[in-house]
Amino acid sequence: MDPFSVGIFIILIAALLIGGALVAARLTSNRRGQLLSSEEPPIPVNLTSVNDAVLVARIGGQVSYVNEVAREWFALEGGAPDLWLLSRRVSPPDAFLELFATEGQADFEIDGRSIRASSHRVAVGEAVQFIVVLREQAPLPVLDREERGSPRALQALADISRTINASLIYEDTLTAVLEGIRRLVPYDAAQISLFNTEREFLQPVVRAGTPEYVAATRGESYRLDEGYTGWIARRRRALLVPDVSRDTEVAFQPRASDPPCASYIGVPLTVRNHFIGVAEVMSAQVERFDRDDLALLTLAADQAAVAIDNARQYSSQAERVTELSGLQKIAGAISTLQDPYQLFAQLGQRIAELMNCEMAGVLLYDRDQNRLISQTPIHGLQDALAARSSISLERGSPARNLWEDVSFWLSNDVPEDHLVQELELGMLAEMAGVRNTALVAMNLGDERIGVLQVSNTRDGSPFTLEDIRLLQIYADQAA
């Protein structure tokens, strides 16, 4: 074969190879696009409808699927979405992010849309993913100055918030909640029932009304789907019944001790994504309540749920109160500790013991460097590694977005978490052997001064929202 023919043959072979590579790349790109935007979601079909937005993410926050409705709501134009960037369109962002840490429900807004979302933990092969279904809700009436007399309503809301948070005494908080609700939505009878997660029933804890009704408080309970209370608990939805005699959707099941009830409102009590109980008001007058009353009770319930949960946790968890006293002792010793190294050593050791973790420490915000700087020592970590631990907070960076927009962050799969790499902590985490980690903000008044970080649970269990709640208490004490 002459040289010219050989050259032609080589050129043809090269062209075929290049063409094959381009085709393979296009197929790979198309496959990735299908995984992120296919109209056939890899989720149980009974979880969603055509009008729902759906996101699927692996533990650690890596988004693996977004349907077209979600892309429209979050204004995604293509590419792989980032969970933390998506949260910047949500108010409040914490409620959205928590759905990818544990199963639950949450209400929030996405660019003005009122959204109710539910999170489902699903195993796909050996991997575990969170499927989050977002459904747009019709907004409740907004307090109007002319129609609702908003100065009175807003003042009452302010008074309720101030009163129910004035004490951590459990009984005082419950009484304050009912009295505050009465100011917004006058009633003939009311009750608050709390949910027992282990036995799956609701226990009335405080009532207002007839003497017989109040006297029967502790002796009664409601199963899921039993009466109005159980219906709300099962569905985690508010219930408005203007006329009990005409309502056929939910069975009215009065008990012997119940007061006369012709009109009814009940709303779920939730703290972040966690359902904790039901607040209910009743009237002997037909059509006494309307959707405006439902809106007011919902506003009051949002504040009441947090206050009740705080008071319940405070009164029922004596051991944790004792643990908090340990932090108070550390805080008291700060004034006598001249050496910051000794101060952070004590703080890290105590936090690690309380959280049952191998590592614990503080990173403080340095304005000059615009970074979070670790304060040595970090309990459980060599000083040489601790000194290298810092997080850049440059404008527009993922770390800056987290610092400004959310109060906590956790990862239960640090080696595979892409955000760990974006925070430039991948190598350090690998060298330190970090498996899971959680950070909560430290605030001094209105100023965010740093973060408290714990890593590697001793029993290997994942961090939960209960851990975050407890860690936030410790962070506030430490700050």
Side-chain angles (χ1 to χ4, degrees):
M1 183 179 294
D2 60 85
F4 179 77
S5 299
V6 171
I8 295 297
F9 178 76
I10 292 175
I11 291 173
L12 290 174
I13 293 298
L16 288 173
L17 290 175
I18 293 172
L22 291 174
V23 170
R26 171 59 65 87
L27 291 175
T28 301
S29 176
N30 290 343
R31 176 58 179 162
R32 178 175 178 81
Q34 291 172 0
L35 288 174
L36 287 171
S37 62
S38 172
E39 288 298 329
E40 298 295 331
I43 60 176
V45 294
N46 63 323
L47 292 182
T48 179
S49 73
V50 294
N51 296 320
D52 295 337
V54 180
L55 298 100
V56 180
R58 301 182 180 91
I59 289 180
Q62 183 180 2
V63 179
S64 58
Y65 172 81
V66 182
N67 75 348
E68 288 302 320
V69 177
R71 287 186 173 276
E72 177 185 349
W73 290 1
F74 286 97
L76 298 176
E77 298 180 354
D82 184 282
L83 190 61
W84 305 97
L85 294 180
L86 295 181
S87 70
R88 302 196 70 187
R89 290 186 172 272
V90 180
S91 178
D94 287 353
F96 172 74
L97 293 173
E98 287 167 5
L99 293 172
F100 297 90
T102 184
E103 290 186 314
Q105 291 186 325
D107 293 320
F108 45 76
E109 290 189 355
I110 301 176
D111 287 346
R113 299 176 186 268
S114 179
I115 303 297
R116 170 159 292 174
S118 59
S119 175
H120 310 269
R121 185 184 178 103
V122 177
V124 181
E126 297 182 356
V128 175
Q129 298 186 114
F130 283 98
I131 299 170
V132 176
V133 180
L134 302 95
R135 184 164 297 170
E136 189 168 8
Q137 300 291 306
L140 289 172
V142 178
L143 288 174
D144 183 82
R145 181 177 296 273
E146 296 179 358
E147 297 180 359
R148 295 298 301 172
S150 61
R152 177 198 64 82
L154 293 177
Q155 183 60 48
L157 278 173
D159 291 344
I160 290 172
S161 179
R162 184 166 52 252
T163 302
I164 67 178
N165 288 286
S167 172
L168 282 175
I169 304 302
Y170 185 55
E171 290 76 14
D172 292 351
T173 300
L174 294 174
T175 301
V177 167
L178 283 190
E179 184 57 33
I181 290 175
R182 186 193 297 274
R183 295 188 60 186
L184 283 177
V185 185
Y187 54 74
D188 295 324
Q191 80 169 0
I192 293 173
S193 304
L194 297 183
F195 186 55
N196 186 313
T197 56
E198 295 181 358
R199 301 177 62 185
E200 292 193 334
F201 70 85
L202 292 109
Q203 172 70 57
V205 292
V206 65
R207 282 175 169 175
T210 63
E212 296 81 2
Y213 183 60
V214 174
T217 301
R218 297 295 179 179
E220 295 190 349
S221 62
Y222 301 89
R223 300 184 305 274
L224 295 178
D225 286 324
E226 181 181 1
Y228 290 162
T229 310
W231 187 93
I232 294 169
R234 171 69 75 183
R235 292 160 181 80
R236 310 293 200 263
R237 287 169 50 192
L239 178 63
L240 167 64
V241 185
D243 186 347
V244 168
S245 65
R246 295 183 180 180
D247 182 73
T248 58
E249 180 184 0
V250 184
F252 180 48
Q253 301 175 13
R255 300 183 177 184
S257 62
D258 286 356
C261 177
S263 188
Y264 169 94
I265 302 178
V267 297
L269 297 172
T270 58
V271 178
R272 298 184 185 272
N273 297 330
H274 296 286
F275 171 76
I276 68 167
V278 176
E280 303 164 275
V281 296
M282 290 149 274
S283 174
Q285 178 183 342
V286 174
E287 296 186 350
R288 168 62 183 82
F289 303 130
D290 56 22
R291 282 183 62 82
D292 287 338
D293 296 308
L294 174 59
L296 288 170
L297 184 59
T298 300
L299 289 172
D302 289 342
Q303 301 178 58
V306 175
I308 291 171
D309 189 60
N310 287 341
R312 182 173 60 169
Q313 296 291 346
Y314 183 86
S315 62
S316 66
Q317 298 179 8
E319 290 184 0
R320 287 183 175 173
V321 173
T322 301
E323 292 170 348
L324 283 175
S325 69
L327 281 182
Q328 292 171 346
K329 292 178 181 178
I330 292 177
I334 288 177
S335 60
T336 63
L337 291 175
Q338 301 298 322
D339 183 6
Y341 186 93
Q342 189 179 13
L343 185 155
F344 288 111
Q346 288 195 29
L347 183 60
Q349 179 182 355
R350 185 59 174 157
I351 293 293
E353 292 172 354
L354 297 176
M355 297 298 299
N356 194 29
C357 293
E358 296 174 359
M359 305 177 190
V362 172
L363 290 85
L364 294 181
Y365 178 47
D366 187 312
R367 292 184 178 277
D368 294 333
Q369 299 185 51
N370 200 23
R371 302 181 72 90
L372 289 170
I373 307 295
S374 64
Q375 306 301 302
T376 55
I378 293 179
H379 180 80
L381 188 64
Q382 296 179 359
D383 284 358
L385 288 177
R388 296 173 55 185
S389 177
S390 68
I391 301 175
S392 173
L393 299 179
E394 292 184 10
R395 291 286 179 185
S397 67
R400 185 74 185 194
N401 295 337
L402 291 178
W403 173 250
E404 293 180 342
D405 296 338
V406 299
S407 61
F408 76 91
W409 176 73
L410 64 84
S411 175
N412 285 313
D413 189 10
V414 168
E416 300 298 327
D417 195 325
H418 73 286
L419 188 58
V420 173
Q421 304 298 329
E422 293 183 14
L423 297 178
E424 301 178 358
L425 295 175
M427 182 176 297
L428 181 62
E430 182 178 356
M431 295 174 64
V434 177
R435 304 183 303 273
N436 55 9
T437 191
L439 300 90
V440 299
M442 298 175 63
N443 299 302
L444 194 58
D446 295 332
E447 182 180 2
R448 186 162 291 188
I449 64 171
V451 296
L452 179 61
Q453 180 177 13
V454 293
S455 302
N456 290 2
T457 52
R458 294 187 186 277
D459 59 3
S461 61
F463 284 109
T464 66
L465 292 182
E466 174 62 19
D467 295 323
I468 295 297
R469 186 197 67 79
L470 187 59
L471 188 60
Q472 187 65 69
I473 294 175
Y474 298 151
D476 291 342
Q477 293 285 326

